[in-house]
Amino acid sequence: MLDPVTRPPGSLALRCSRALLSPWSRLSVLAALLLTAATTVVLYEPQRLLAAGWPPQVSGAGAVVLFGLAYGVCTAAFVPRPILNLAAGALFGTQAGLAAALAGTVLGAGISFTLGRLLGQDALRPLLRGRWLTAADGQLSRHGFRSMLAIRLFPGVPFAAANYCAAVSRMGYAPFLLATGLGSIPNTAAYVMAGSQAGSPTSPAFLVPMGFIVVSGLVAGVVAWRKRHGLRARGAAGAAPSPAVPARERPLELAGARKPG
């Protein structure tokens, strides 16, 4: 009789580990994390900072650092940045509030980018087959710093969505974080200044930043509309088959190479 086939020890564990580390399993983990974060935001309502203020037990530089850390975690959990920026200005004033908000912005972007890159990129990249998606991915992959800087300068694309889209592309960490930090300064500063003057809504120090926010939002809408049509046209051009070259226009070398020796 033939001896029974013996399977190497640990083969079941190896298959289980491969299944758990597969791209779709990691994507499921990312979806679970994001769903948990969104649920936590709905339950705890961090926007109450605008009304209740910062806990009195924490003050000074420690409060600014703690707020920056909490800001980063909250933005990764889909808390709208305008609310956090207004809270930073109302709690700490313009200078300290801006420092905390910018540090939290970069931290939150880094958290989202890391999660998307490690847990979602391998599963989602094969799905980028549409012309518009392919063109957008190519723009982020080839011109990452310039594209992300434009996205941050002109608000319109949700912060978390931009982070995860950049993570799926081939953009590097350094240009992503640098563009996020630089591009977020104007809009963040406007919200922080408005938050610091929230008690005087008719003062120029409040009206000027709010006017900048409105104008930048309108400009962002126009830029996004034009960019969308540009990406569509680029995707259509990339998908169009190259025209056949007539025989009479082929290089003479090829024609000569076909002659019998």
Side-chain angles (χ1 to χ4, degrees), residues 20-108:
L20 291 175
L21 296 177
S22 66
W24 287 104
S25 296
R26 284 180 284 154
L27 183 62
S28 301
V29 173
L30 177 61
L33 287 175
L34 297 182
L35 180 60
T36 303
T39 304
T40 304
V41 167
V42 173
L43 292 177
Y44 285 92
E45 299 179 355
Q47 62 269 21
R48 288 182 297 180
L49 283 172
L50 290 173
W54 192 252
Q57 295 82 1
V58 184
S59 60
V64 177
V65 173
L66 185 59
F67 182 88
L69 295 175
Y71 186 115
V73 175
C74 287
T75 53
F78 303 106
V79 177
R81 286 182 61 248
I83 294 176
L84 298 174
N85 292 332
L86 290 172
L91 294 174
F92 306 110
T94 300
Q95 296 181 355
L98 180 59
L102 286 177
T105 296
V106 177
L107 175 62

Side-chain angles (χ1 to χ4, degrees), residues 171-184:
M171 184 188 304
Y173 272 91
F176 171 76
L177 294 177
L178 183 59
T180 296
L182 293 177
S184 300

Side-chain angles (χ1 to χ4, degrees), residues 162-179:
N163 295 336
Y164 290 109
C165 289
V168 175
S169 72
R170 301 189 187 279
M171 184 188 304
Y173 272 91
F176 171 76
L177 294 177
L178 183 59

Side-chain angles (χ1 to χ4, degrees), residues 154-156 187 211-222:
F154 300 106
N187 195 261
F212 174 82
I213 292 170
V214 173
V215 171
S216 63
L218 294 175
V219 173
V222 175

Side-chain angles (χ1 to χ4, degrees), residues 74-146:
C74 287
T75 53
F78 303 106
V79 177
R81 286 182 61 248
I83 294 176
L84 298 174
N85 292 332
L86 290 172
L91 294 174
F92 306 110
T94 300
Q95 296 181 355
L98 180 59
L102 286 177
T105 296
V106 177
L107 175 62
I111 293 173
S112 302
F113 189 88
T114 301
L115 290 175
R117 178 61 55 89
L118 295 179
L119 300 178
Q121 187 187 46
D122 292 340
L124 294 178
R125 278 202 66 81
L127 303 180
L128 300 177
R129 298 175 181 175
R131 291 183 300 179
W132 189 87
L133 289 175
T134 303
D137 174 67
Q139 182 73 16
L140 287 173
S141 299
R142 291 191 299 268
H143 310 289
F145 176 82
R146 184 175 65 188

